Amino acid sequence: MNILSLAPAVFLTFFFMFVFSRVLFLVVLRLRKQDPTGRNSANGMITRGSASADAKHVYIILIILALLRPVDTLSESPGPAGLKDSTEAQQFQSTHEKAKSCDADAQYELGRRYSVGRGVSRDDEAAVKWYAGAAEQGHAAAQCALGEMYYYGRGIGQDDDAAVKWFRMAAEQGLAEAQLWLGVMYDDGRVLTQDYSEAIKWYKMAAQQGNIYAQLSLGGIYAEGYGVAQDYQEAVKWYQMAADQGDAEAQYNLGDMYANGYGVLPDDKAALHWILKAAEQGYTDAQFRLGWIYASGTGAKQDYQEAVRWYAMAAAQGNGFAQNSLGLMYANGDGVSQDYGQAVKWFRMAADQGDADAQVWLGKMYDDGRGVTRDYKEATKWYTLAAAQGNVDAQYNLGVMYANGSGVAQDDKEAFRWYTMAALQEDAEAQYSLGMMYAGGQGVSKDDEAAFHWFSRSAAQGYDQAQFQLGLMYVKETGVTQDYQEAVRWYTMAADQGNVYAQNSLGLMYADGDGVLRDYGQALKWFRMAADQGDADAQYNLGMMYAEGHGVPRDHEQAYEWLSLAAQQGDERALKFRDELKTIMNPGQIDIIRRNNME
């Protein structure tokens, strides 16, 4: 076989091995600081990880260390007899002769050839034999390679103690790769007793020689405070070293430090610089972060089109956060033409990866029938998946589905259960709904005090409907001592947010002088605000103010008009008084009102 015909395959094999090892490493280092479900998620920023995530980081790094060994062109030849050309054969024979003569460099080279199948068929046992020969002579690279063979059980029985022995011998000679191995093993705590001090010691030795992975690990340790006092300045120092070598992960981490002012003064320009450098290398977290920066206008001028561009890059690489965010851009028509079909497409891609936010949004699209045929069962399915991950919006939505019997059998107890989960996560709407269930005895025994408790928690977060209910409870002495002044306070808070029921109730408080001095002018103001929003009670009350001349000159035409509007909504009181007004108004006045209403 002509060796030139193998060139494309050889190149592709090498390329994919490199890419695979690099991707694995980036995934691992991401685990040190990212919770894939959390975008903090509210602000779109990447959250920092847990100790368990760090354990995954160091475990997978062990695999990567083996993958990152130097690999030359591969050969399909069965052995020395199958070498491709005379030059390769001469090189192998020369190396072999030197190795037999106890030349440590040649023994290491021969071991490497057998380990990766360079020029010969891969033979792990032969690799171990030659590595061992060189290692026994103190060859540091061979010692490290032999340690890897013991660690993975390649060509020899798996033996952690032997692996550590050889790694340590190589590390003590200053080999950065072996120092990294020891750092990982002390960091991980699976083979060696976990000892962050030892891990840091070995990481530093490797990092000071320019080892990027050691520099990144040190940055993560100091940023998170694993085994040491948290020290953002030290983290920045190590991230900077790796970033300066062009490492995308380090560049992103450094940008994050500048964005948040960790270990450095907050600097949006520097943050954007480093995150952009990482994004331009195809690092998906950075691409997503850039999308968020431009979408939110945090750290850069808001630019929806630029946000879409970066979200799309990350989404195309499978980043679930970016897919969900891109779906939102299409759903809202931000930076792109509004397209519910595209929104559903991207929500689904993220939802299929388990992104809880995307599952909620996909459920909402089915719930509302946007971009898909309305399907309450499908909506409930996606809400359930997200709720099982603790997503508070999904838990609340499930409560609504069970309360209304949408996509599921109506079940107040199930609604109560899901509302409770969301309420305990301080969701104001869920707290209000839970209060209503206690107040009405739906899915739970009626309990006015419990209702008051949940209304209070919701109202404290500014939820206007809960504020109105609190006002009502103080007026009606339900679960609490009657207190008109407290009622006025809560009604006012809700009314200021446009709550029509609170506006009408506040108008009554001013009209009757309950909790405040009687003030028909204030009463008129609040009745009108609610009446303008179409509230029948307020329209009736406003009509009566004009009919009786409270706060305004008596005006039968205004009274007739407002009472008519309330009557049209079925208010029998308004109908009765409106008809009474007819008896004292002339037909011309009534015709003018009717014509005005028609216009």
Side-chain angles (χ1 to χ4, degrees), residues 240-261:
Q240 184 78 59
M241 289 184 186
D244 286 341
Q245 294 190 67
D247 185 83
E249 175 78 5
Q251 290 168 342
Y252 174 75
N253 289 347
L254 189 58
D256 186 57
M257 303 297 273
Y258 275 109
N260 292 296

Side-chain angles (χ1 to χ4, degrees), residues 41-183:
S41 224
N43 65 9
M45 290 170 61
I46 305 301
T47 56
R48 296 186 176 276
S50 62
S52 61
D54 192 57
K56 294 177 184 176
H57 150 72
V58 293
Y59 174 68
I60 302 175
I61 249 186
L62 299 176
I63 301 171
I64 295 163
L65 283 164
L67 292 172
L68 293 178
R69 283 211 153 278
V71 179
D72 297 317
T73 55
L74 304 179
S75 168
E76 296 178 349
S77 60
L83 293 173
K84 294 298 189 258
D85 55 39
S86 59
T87 301
E88 183 71 16
Q90 289 173 2
Q91 289 177 348
F92 182 89
Q93 289 301 326
S94 174
T95 301
H96 194 268
E97 290 301 320
K98 290 178 181 178
K100 287 196 298 182
S101 300
C102 297
D103 183 298
D105 288 335
Q107 290 174 334
Y108 168 68
E109 173 61 23
L110 204 55
R112 197 160 67 90
R113 282 173 174 267
Y114 278 112
S115 176
V116 301
R118 177 179 175 266
V120 293
S121 295
R122 176 171 161 172
D123 185 336
D124 288 341
E125 290 184 5
V128 168
K129 167 189 169 183
W130 292 111
Y131 281 150
E136 294 290 355
Q137 296 186 65
H139 193 286
Q143 290 169 341
C144 185
L146 187 58
E148 290 180 16
M149 301 301 276
Y150 274 111
Y151 183 84
Y152 292 112
R154 287 181 51 192
I156 197 166
Q158 200 281 333
D159 188 334
D160 288 334
D161 291 338
V164 171
K165 165 192 165 183
W166 290 110
F167 286 144
R168 192 177 299 278
M169 290 176 71
E172 288 173 349
Q173 291 195 67
L175 187 71
E177 186 178 351
Q179 292 165 344
L180 177 62
W181 267 101
L182 284 181

Side-chain angles (χ1 to χ4, degrees), residues 2-21:
N2 190 326
I3 192 168
L4 292 177
S5 66
L6 290 176
V10 169
F11 172 77
L12 287 174
T13 301
F14 177 81
F15 174 76
F16 284 119
M17 286 185 68
F18 172 77
V19 170
F20 178 66
S21 64

Side-chain angles (χ1 to χ4, degrees), residues 324-482:
N324 179 61
S325 297
L326 191 56
L328 285 171
M329 301 300 276
Y330 276 108
N332 297 326
D334 292 332
V336 289
S337 298
Q338 190 173 58
D339 188 331
Y340 291 135
Q342 281 292 309
V344 168
K345 166 191 167 182
W346 290 109
F347 286 147
R348 191 182 303 280
M349 290 176 73
D352 285 340
Q353 292 192 62
D355 186 283
D357 287 339
Q359 290 169 343
V360 173
W361 279 111
L362 186 57
K364 188 65 176 168
M365 299 301 276
Y366 277 107
D367 202 345
D368 296 339
R370 291 186 296 170
V372 288
T373 302
R374 175 173 281 166
D375 187 333
Y376 291 130
K377 287 186 178 180
E378 193 69 8
T380 301
K381 164 191 156 183
W382 289 108
Y383 289 153
T384 302
L385 289 171
Q389 297 188 60
N391 184 284
V392 65
D393 293 327
Q395 291 169 346
Y396 170 73
N397 289 347
L398 271 182
V400 173
M401 302 301 271
Y402 278 105
N404 296 334
S406 301
V408 289
Q410 200 281 335
D411 189 332
D412 284 336
K413 288 185 177 179
E414 271 298 286
F416 176 83
R417 185 170 76 89
W418 288 110
Y419 282 148
T420 300
M421 289 185 191
L424 290 172
Q425 293 196 63
E426 300 303 324
D427 184 89
E429 289 183 87
Q431 290 169 340
Y432 164 76
S433 297
L434 199 56
M436 292 298 290
M437 297 198 84
Y438 274 114
Q442 296 173 283
V444 66
S445 298
K446 182 177 171 61
D447 186 335
D448 290 332
E449 290 184 1
F452 182 83
H453 167 79
W454 287 109
F455 286 146
S456 295
R457 288 177 66 167
S458 177
Q461 296 190 64
Y463 191 56
D464 65 289
Q465 294 188 55
Q467 292 169 340
F468 166 69
Q469 287 296 329
L470 279 183
L472 199 60
M473 293 184 87
Y474 276 112
V475 168
K476 294 187 174 183
E477 201 173 358
T478 306
V480 66
T481 303
Q482 189 176 61

